[in-house]
Every structure is written in structure tokens, then in C-alpha cells.
Amino acid sequence: MPITVRPTGADIAIARAIARKTGPAPDAVARGLTWGADEKVLLVLAAAGWLASRGRSDALRRAGNHALLVTAVASLLPHGLKAVFDQRRPDRRTILGHVHGISFSGKCDDAFPSGHALHMGALASAADTLPAGPRRLMRAVAVVISLTRIMVLAHWASDVVAGFALGAALERLVRLWTGYPREGSKENDHADS
């Protein structure tokens, strides 16, 4: 028997405000951006990165291994959690949103947690090893893409926050297994790339 997760008062207020203010154009833009965190797209990119890292320096191979493993686990984890938790998506609880252009997202009771935000939380966490400029850019991209899940009413705000936090925690846990980055190698990894 799945555990039912209910949206918070703030979740409902945010979803109602979006439903009142949105339109077909903003929804289309947000849906386009959300593809940046789609698990299938990310798995293909991680596999390509892994292949490209073969025959390179130890640091790049370690990064390729880490990226592929994190992406694979981040793709599986939301499916397992959604089997345990049921939560109705906000786009199933609005008529006004559909009048203003919001379309349906995924399975109706699979709101918790946001898998897209989970991937982006892992990306933001992994960006910790980058120099300041690229690190800030990657984290900003991760946050913006995560927020699109709220804008298209696919998830409640709390689903996105939970998914993002789970992704960051997952990436840090996978580091224990992959050795990415090696202790004290932050500067060395940048020199190798």
C-alpha cells in the first residue's frame, strides 16, 4: 500500500498562482527546458561522456565512471520511490491551469519526488569539483531546470526541493564508491582536463 504524500499549504498557493498566471507560451518554454533533466537524455549524455573518457587521464576516467553511475542510480531511484509514495500532480488538480495552457505531465499520482530535480541536485553537487565560474553556471542551470517542473505543474514545490536534496545526497554517497574526486585532487583534476 503506497504512502500518500499531501502537498503543503505553500505548495497549493504556489500552484494556484502559476495556474492563474501562466499561458501556452511560458508552458511551452518551460516544457522545452525541462528536457534538460530528462533521464533518457541524461543517460545518453553520461554514456557518451563515459565512452569519451576511456583512454584518458585517471581523473577523467574517474569522472566518466562517476557521471555514468550517478546518472544510472538517479534514473532508478525516483521510480522506486514513486512505487512507495503516491501524490497527485498539481496539473491534475486544476481546471484554470488547463484553460491557461498547462498540459498533463506523467502518471497522475507520481508527483513525489521530482526525478528531474533529483538529477539536477546530483549535477549541482557534482559541480562542486569545478572552478568557480563553471560551478556557478552549472548550479544555476540545475536550479532553473528544476524550477521548470513547478512551472509546468508537474510537481509541487516541495517535490522539487525533496528531489533536488535527494540528488545532491545521492551524488555525495556515490563519491564514496567511485572515488570521485580523489582526496586533495581538486586542483589536479582541473589541470588534467
Side-chain angles (χ1 to χ4, degrees):
M1 198 80 183
I3 300 166
T4 300
V5 178
R6 304 215 183 283
T8 67
D11 286 334
I12 294 168
I14 291 167
R16 284 182 180 158
I18 290 167
R20 282 192 305 270
K21 302 285 185 190
T22 195
D27 185 63
V29 168
R31 285 194 186 276
L33 289 172
T34 201
W35 275 97
D38 181 79
E39 70 183 36
K40 293 167 201 74
V41 171
L42 292 174
L43 282 167
V44 167
L45 291 173
W50 181 83
L51 284 171
S53 72
R54 303 303 90 188
R56 302 291 195 138
S57 69
D58 285 343
L60 287 176
R61 283 194 312 276
R62 195 169 43 256
N65 293 342
H66 183 73
L68 184 59
L69 183 59
V70 168
T71 305
V73 175
S75 295
L76 294 172
L77 183 59
H79 295 289
L81 291 171
K82 288 177 184 199
V84 174
F85 298 104
D86 271 353
Q87 185 180 48
R88 178 103 13 191
R89 290 184 187 271
D91 64 11
R92 300 313 200 282
R93 295 181 56 173
T94 180
I95 294 171
L96 186 58
H98 298 299
V99 169
H100 289 158
I102 295 287
S103 55
F104 290 112
S105 301
K107 296 177 183 172
C108 70
D109 288 325
D110 278 358
F112 183 84
S114 168
H116 286 72
L118 196 145
H119 278 289
M120 292 298 98
L123 176 69
S125 178
D128 182 51
T129 63
L130 298 173
R135 179 177 59 242
R136 286 187 200 109
L137 176 63
M138 293 306 294
R139 287 181 175 165
V141 166
V143 168
V144 167
I145 290 175
S146 295
L147 291 175
T148 65
R149 303 306 288 163
I150 300 168
M151 299 306 297
V152 300
L153 297 179
H155 294 283
W156 304 100
S158 60
D159 303 336
V160 170
V161 170
F164 200 91
L166 281 169
L170 169 71
E171 190 274 335
R172 294 301 168 123
L173 283 173
V174 172
R175 283 184 188 199
L176 298 174
W177 192 58
T178 63
Y180 174 78
R182 275 201 208 277
E183 212 174 298
S185 67
K186 189 171 184 175
E187 293 80 19
N188 295 337
D189 286 351
H190 298 312
D192 288 346
S193 50

